[in-house]
Amino acid sequence: MTSLDKPTEDAQAAQQNARAVTEAALFEAFGGVRGMVETVVPGLLFVTIFTINKNLHWSAIAALGVSLLLVVVRLAMRDTVKHAFSGVFGVAFGVVFAMMTGNAKDFYLPGMLYTLGLAIAYIVTTLAGVPLIGLILGPVFKENLSWRTRNPGRKKAYAKASWAWGLILLAKCAILFPLYWWANTAQLGWILIALKIPPFLLAVWLTWVFLAKAPAPIDVFAEMEAEEQAEKERRAAAAGEHDTTAGRHRR
Protein backbone atom coordinates (compact mmCIF):
# COMPACT_ATOMS: atom_id res chain seq x y z
CA MET A 1 0.00 0.00 0.00
CA THR A 2 1.38 3.40 -0.94
CA SER A 3 1.04 6.54 1.14
CA LEU A 4 -1.48 7.81 -1.40
CA ASP A 5 -3.74 4.77 -1.01
CA LYS A 6 -4.43 5.11 2.70
CA PRO A 7 -6.24 8.48 2.63
CA THR A 8 -8.43 7.16 -0.17
CA GLU A 9 -9.28 4.03 1.81
CA ASP A 10 -9.91 6.10 4.94
CA ALA A 11 -12.23 8.39 3.00
CA GLN A 12 -14.13 5.42 1.57
CA ALA A 13 -14.44 3.85 5.01
CA ALA A 14 -15.72 7.13 6.45
CA GLN A 15 -18.24 7.45 3.63
CA GLN A 16 -19.48 3.88 4.15
CA ASN A 17 -19.79 4.53 7.87
CA ALA A 18 -21.76 7.74 7.19
CA ARG A 19 -24.12 5.83 4.91
CA ALA A 20 -24.63 3.09 7.51
CA VAL A 21 -25.35 5.67 10.22
CA THR A 22 -27.78 7.46 7.90
CA GLU A 23 -29.62 4.22 7.10
CA ALA A 24 -29.92 3.34 10.79
CA ALA A 25 -31.15 6.85 11.65
CA LEU A 26 -33.78 6.81 8.90
CA PHE A 27 -35.06 3.41 10.01
CA GLU A 28 -35.27 4.66 13.59
CA ALA A 29 -37.01 7.90 12.64
CA PHE A 30 -39.55 6.44 10.22
CA GLY A 31 -40.18 3.06 11.81
CA GLY A 32 -38.56 0.77 9.27
CA VAL A 33 -40.39 -2.16 7.71
CA ARG A 34 -42.50 -2.81 10.77
CA GLY A 35 -43.63 0.81 10.92
CA MET A 36 -44.70 0.64 7.28
CA VAL A 37 -46.67 -2.55 7.92
CA GLU A 38 -48.43 -0.96 10.89
CA THR A 39 -49.31 2.01 8.71
CA VAL A 40 -50.80 -0.09 5.90
CA VAL A 41 -52.63 -2.93 7.69
CA PRO A 42 -55.57 -1.00 9.27
CA GLY A 43 -56.47 0.75 6.02
CA LEU A 44 -56.02 -2.45 4.05
CA LEU A 45 -58.37 -4.29 6.40
CA PHE A 46 -60.94 -1.49 6.18
CA VAL A 47 -61.06 -1.39 2.40
CA THR A 48 -61.02 -5.20 2.11
CA ILE A 49 -64.01 -5.68 4.41
CA PHE A 50 -65.90 -2.74 2.89
CA THR A 51 -65.28 -4.04 -0.62
CA ILE A 52 -66.77 -7.41 0.40
CA ASN A 53 -69.84 -6.40 2.42
CA LYS A 54 -70.16 -2.58 2.10
CA ASN A 55 -70.64 -2.40 5.88
CA LEU A 56 -69.09 0.78 7.30
CA HIS A 57 -69.43 -0.24 10.95
CA TRP A 58 -67.74 -3.63 10.61
CA SER A 59 -64.99 -2.15 8.45
CA ALA A 60 -64.31 0.63 10.95
CA ILE A 61 -64.37 -1.69 13.98
CA ALA A 62 -61.96 -4.10 12.28
CA ALA A 63 -59.53 -1.32 11.35
CA LEU A 64 -59.56 0.18 14.84
CA GLY A 65 -59.28 -3.26 16.44
CA VAL A 66 -56.20 -4.26 14.49
CA SER A 67 -54.59 -0.88 15.28
CA LEU A 68 -55.09 -1.49 18.99
CA LEU A 69 -53.78 -5.04 18.60
CA LEU A 70 -50.57 -3.70 17.04
CA VAL A 71 -50.08 -1.43 20.04
CA VAL A 72 -50.64 -4.34 22.44
CA VAL A 73 -48.07 -6.43 20.57
CA ARG A 74 -45.56 -3.57 20.80
CA LEU A 75 -46.19 -3.21 24.52
CA ALA A 76 -45.87 -6.96 25.08
CA MET A 77 -42.53 -6.94 23.28
CA ARG A 78 -41.47 -3.82 25.23
CA ASP A 79 -40.80 -2.08 21.95
CA THR A 80 -41.29 1.58 21.05
CA VAL A 81 -44.95 2.29 20.44
CA LYS A 82 -44.86 5.77 18.86
CA HIS A 83 -45.52 4.49 15.31
CA ALA A 84 -48.25 2.10 16.45
CA PHE A 85 -49.91 4.81 18.57
CA SER A 86 -49.82 7.26 15.66
CA GLY A 87 -51.60 4.59 13.62
CA VAL A 88 -54.28 4.20 16.29
CA PHE A 89 -54.94 7.94 16.40
CA GLY A 90 -55.10 8.14 12.62
CA VAL A 91 -57.55 5.25 12.39
CA ALA A 92 -59.61 6.60 15.30
CA PHE A 93 -60.00 9.99 13.61
CA GLY A 94 -60.99 8.26 10.40
CA VAL A 95 -63.56 6.13 12.19
CA VAL A 96 -65.06 9.19 13.94
CA PHE A 97 -65.30 11.14 10.69
CA ALA A 98 -66.90 8.24 8.82
CA MET A 99 -69.36 7.48 11.61
CA MET A 100 -70.39 11.14 11.96
CA THR A 101 -71.05 11.65 8.27
CA GLY A 102 -72.15 8.13 7.39
CA ASN A 103 -69.87 8.32 4.35
CA ALA A 104 -67.27 5.54 4.27
CA LYS A 105 -64.92 7.68 2.16
CA ASP A 106 -64.53 10.02 5.11
CA PHE A 107 -62.54 7.28 6.85
CA TYR A 108 -59.64 8.35 4.63
CA LEU A 109 -60.16 12.11 4.87
CA PRO A 110 -58.19 12.83 8.10
CA GLY A 111 -55.16 10.99 6.74
CA MET A 112 -55.39 12.85 3.45
CA LEU A 113 -55.63 16.21 5.24
CA TYR A 114 -52.66 15.24 7.42
CA THR A 115 -50.64 14.39 4.32
CA LEU A 116 -51.50 17.75 2.77
CA GLY A 117 -50.61 19.61 5.96
CA LEU A 118 -47.33 17.71 6.23
CA ALA A 119 -46.44 18.53 2.62
CA ILE A 120 -47.07 22.23 3.27
CA ALA A 121 -45.03 22.05 6.50
CA TYR A 122 -42.03 20.57 4.67
CA ILE A 123 -42.12 23.33 2.06
CA VAL A 124 -42.82 26.25 4.41
CA THR A 125 -40.15 25.26 6.95
CA THR A 126 -37.60 24.87 4.16
CA LEU A 127 -38.41 28.33 2.81
CA ALA A 128 -38.05 29.64 6.38
CA GLY A 129 -34.55 28.16 6.66
CA VAL A 130 -35.43 25.43 9.16
CA PRO A 131 -36.26 22.38 6.99
CA LEU A 132 -38.59 20.03 8.81
CA ILE A 133 -36.57 16.91 8.01
CA GLY A 134 -33.66 18.48 9.88
CA LEU A 135 -35.85 19.09 12.92
CA ILE A 136 -36.95 15.44 12.78
CA LEU A 137 -33.58 13.83 12.19
CA GLY A 138 -31.34 16.24 14.13
CA PRO A 139 -31.97 14.57 17.51
CA VAL A 140 -31.64 11.11 15.92
CA PHE A 141 -28.17 12.02 14.63
CA LYS A 142 -27.36 13.63 18.03
CA GLU A 143 -26.71 16.95 16.29
CA ASN A 144 -29.91 18.72 17.36
CA LEU A 145 -29.92 22.11 15.57
CA SER A 146 -26.16 22.44 15.13
CA TRP A 147 -26.63 21.98 11.37
CA ARG A 148 -28.38 25.36 11.14
CA THR A 149 -25.32 27.50 11.93
CA ARG A 150 -22.31 25.20 12.16
CA ASN A 151 -22.79 22.74 9.30
CA PRO A 152 -24.01 24.52 6.13
CA GLY A 153 -23.45 21.49 3.90
CA ARG A 154 -25.72 19.43 6.10
CA LYS A 155 -28.34 22.18 6.21
CA LYS A 156 -28.36 22.18 2.41
CA ALA A 157 -28.89 18.40 2.37
CA TYR A 158 -31.77 18.72 4.82
CA ALA A 159 -33.31 21.42 2.61
CA LYS A 160 -33.10 19.19 -0.46
CA ALA A 161 -34.63 16.27 1.46
CA SER A 162 -37.46 18.46 2.79
CA TRP A 163 -38.22 19.71 -0.73
CA ALA A 164 -38.34 16.08 -1.87
CA TRP A 165 -40.77 15.10 0.91
CA GLY A 166 -42.96 18.15 0.32
CA LEU A 167 -43.22 17.73 -3.44
CA ILE A 168 -43.77 13.96 -3.27
CA LEU A 169 -46.56 14.36 -0.72
CA LEU A 170 -48.14 17.16 -2.77
CA ALA A 171 -48.10 14.90 -5.82
CA LYS A 172 -49.79 12.19 -3.76
CA CYS A 173 -52.46 14.67 -2.65
CA ALA A 174 -52.98 15.77 -6.25
CA ILE A 175 -53.98 12.19 -7.04
CA LEU A 176 -56.05 11.40 -3.95
CA PHE A 177 -58.20 14.51 -3.48
CA PRO A 178 -59.83 14.38 -6.93
CA LEU A 179 -60.51 10.69 -6.31
CA TYR A 180 -62.17 11.56 -3.00
CA TRP A 181 -64.82 13.41 -5.01
CA TRP A 182 -65.04 11.25 -8.12
CA ALA A 183 -64.26 7.66 -7.09
CA ASN A 184 -66.27 5.34 -4.89
CA THR A 185 -65.05 4.20 -1.47
CA ALA A 186 -63.47 0.96 -2.63
CA GLN A 187 -61.64 2.58 -5.54
CA LEU A 188 -60.30 5.37 -3.33
CA GLY A 189 -59.27 2.89 -0.65
CA TRP A 190 -57.34 0.59 -2.96
CA ILE A 191 -55.55 3.45 -4.69
CA LEU A 192 -54.69 4.99 -1.34
CA ILE A 193 -53.26 1.66 -0.15
CA ALA A 194 -51.25 1.39 -3.38
CA LEU A 195 -49.84 4.87 -2.74
CA LYS A 196 -48.92 4.26 0.90
CA ILE A 197 -45.48 2.73 0.51
CA PRO A 198 -43.93 3.72 -2.87
CA PRO A 199 -43.94 7.53 -2.31
CA PHE A 200 -42.69 7.00 1.23
CA LEU A 201 -39.84 4.78 0.06
CA LEU A 202 -38.93 7.28 -2.67
CA ALA A 203 -38.78 10.12 -0.14
CA VAL A 204 -36.70 8.06 2.30
CA TRP A 205 -34.34 6.97 -0.48
CA LEU A 206 -33.82 10.57 -1.64
CA THR A 207 -33.21 11.62 1.96
CA TRP A 208 -30.60 8.89 2.28
CA VAL A 209 -28.92 10.00 -0.98
CA PHE A 210 -28.73 13.64 0.11
CA LEU A 211 -27.53 12.92 3.65
CA ALA A 212 -25.03 10.22 2.66
CA LYS A 213 -23.22 12.84 0.55
CA ALA A 214 -23.47 15.55 3.20
CA PRO A 215 -20.83 16.38 5.84
CA ALA A 216 -20.92 14.26 8.97
CA PRO A 217 -23.24 15.46 11.76
CA ILE A 218 -21.77 17.34 14.71
CA ASP A 219 -22.38 15.24 17.81
CA VAL A 220 -23.41 17.95 20.27
CA PHE A 221 -23.97 15.39 23.02
CA ALA A 222 -20.37 14.23 22.74
CA GLU A 223 -19.25 17.86 22.80
CA MET A 224 -21.23 18.51 25.99
CA GLU A 225 -19.79 15.40 27.61
CA ALA A 226 -16.28 16.46 26.62
CA GLU A 227 -16.87 19.95 28.07
CA GLU A 228 -18.18 18.46 31.32
CA GLN A 229 -15.15 16.17 31.54
CA ALA A 230 -12.79 19.07 30.85
CA GLU A 231 -14.54 21.13 33.53
CA LYS A 232 -14.14 18.30 36.04
CA GLU A 233 -10.45 18.04 35.20
CA ARG A 234 -9.99 21.80 35.62
CA ARG A 235 -11.72 21.69 39.00
CA ALA A 236 -9.63 18.71 40.07
CA ALA A 237 -6.45 20.50 38.97
CA ALA A 238 -7.50 23.67 40.77
CA ALA A 239 -8.29 21.68 43.93
CA GLY A 240 -4.89 19.99 43.70
CA GLU A 241 -3.10 23.32 43.37
CA HIS A 242 -5.09 24.66 46.34
CA ASP A 243 -4.09 21.66 48.49
CA THR A 244 -0.44 22.05 47.47
CA THR A 245 -0.47 25.77 48.33
CA ALA A 246 -2.15 25.12 51.66
CA GLY A 247 0.44 22.45 52.49
CA ARG A 248 3.28 24.87 51.78
CA HIS A 249 1.74 27.50 54.05
CA ARG A 250 1.41 24.98 56.89
CA ARG A 251 5.13 24.26 56.64
Side-chain angles (χ1 to χ4, degrees), residues 36 39-40 108-120 122-123 163-180 188-203:
M36 288 187 289
T39 301
V40 171
Y108 305 110
L109 188 57
M112 292 165 58
L113 293 173
Y114 172 78
T115 300
L116 178 60
L118 191 58
I120 295 172
Y122 274 117
I123 293 173
W163 274 114
W165 278 91
L167 294 176
I168 288 170
L169 293 180
L170 277 182
K172 180 177 177 179
C173 291
I175 296 172
L176 292 178
F177 276 96
L179 289 174
Y180 174 80
L188 175 62
W190 286 112
I191 292 174
L192 194 147
I193 293 298
L195 290 177
K196 274 281 186 181
I197 301 302
F200 173 81
L201 290 180
L202 176 60

Side-chain angles (χ1 to χ4, degrees), residues 50-74:
F50 190 84
T51 300
I52 294 172
N53 62 19
K54 300 295 187 295
N55 189 306
L56 170 60
H57 290 80
W58 281 113
S59 302
I61 291 171
L64 187 57
V66 76
S67 297
L68 293 171
L69 179 61
L70 292 172
V71 172
V72 171
V73 171
R74 287 267 192 177

